[in-house]
Amino acid sequence: MQRQRLDIWRHFLLPAGISPQLKSVDNTLLLIQMVSARMGIAALPHWVVESFERQGLIVTKTLGEGLWSRLYAAVRDGEQRQPVMDAFIRSARNHACDHLPFVKNAERPNADVPTVRPGSPQPL
């Protein structure tokens, strides 16, 4: 992927005048292992790394206020309104919002997002 398309590049590195050497790694687990072995750093969503942080394998740092992106569900043409598809999307959304720190519901964009560290009690 081109550097200019990477959010971390556009929002943090480029404005700071930082141009690090980049290495592309296709496997997330390998990337986490490299970070744990002090072979570099990575910019990943919190929901990807939180379990590794809880295990003490890595340390995470928030970049500014973080980056927020909307996730979309893609379905085949004609299947958008099927009850099973609606139920699956609703279930996935609810699960993510209930169990993944720092994930917020796009249907309730002004709802509070947890600001506590993993392992701390979560507000209701």
Side-chain angles (χ1 to χ4, degrees):
M1 182 179 287
Q2 299 169 337
R3 288 182 177 194
Q4 292 76 15
R5 294 190 64 204
L6 299 172
D7 288 338
I8 188 163
W9 191 268
R10 288 184 294 125
H11 296 287
F12 296 101
L13 299 175
L14 191 59
I18 299 170
S19 183
Q21 180 182 12
L22 299 179
K23 177 167 181 66
S24 179
V25 178
D26 295 329
N27 183 305
T28 304
L29 186 54
L30 177 59
L31 181 61
I32 297 294
Q33 289 173 336
M34 290 174 69
V35 170
S36 181
R38 300 180 184 265
M39 296 174 65
I41 63 172
L44 296 166
H46 188 266
W47 59 267
V48 171
V49 298
E50 62 128 357
S51 66
F52 299 105
E53 183 179 36
R54 269 191 277 117
Q55 295 175 55
L57 298 173
I58 59 171
V59 174
T60 64
K61 302 288 182 187
T62 303
L63 296 172
E65 297 297 315
L67 295 172
W68 294 94
S69 296
R70 184 172 289 216
L71 298 176
Y72 295 90
V75 297
R76 290 184 289 226
D77 192 30
E79 294 183 355
Q80 297 91 327
R81 301 282 184 253
Q82 289 187 358
V84 68
M85 202 56 66
D86 286 339
F88 172 76
I89 291 170
R90 188 173 41 258
S91 176
R93 177 188 301 120
N94 292 340
H95 181 80
C97 292
D98 292 345
H99 299 289
L100 299 175
F102 305 102
V103 170
K104 60 184 178 180
N105 189 337
E107 292 182 340
R108 296 178 282 134
N110 296 324
D112 288 333
V113 176
T115 57
V116 295
R117 300 301 296 170
S120 301
Q122 298 291 318
L124 298 176

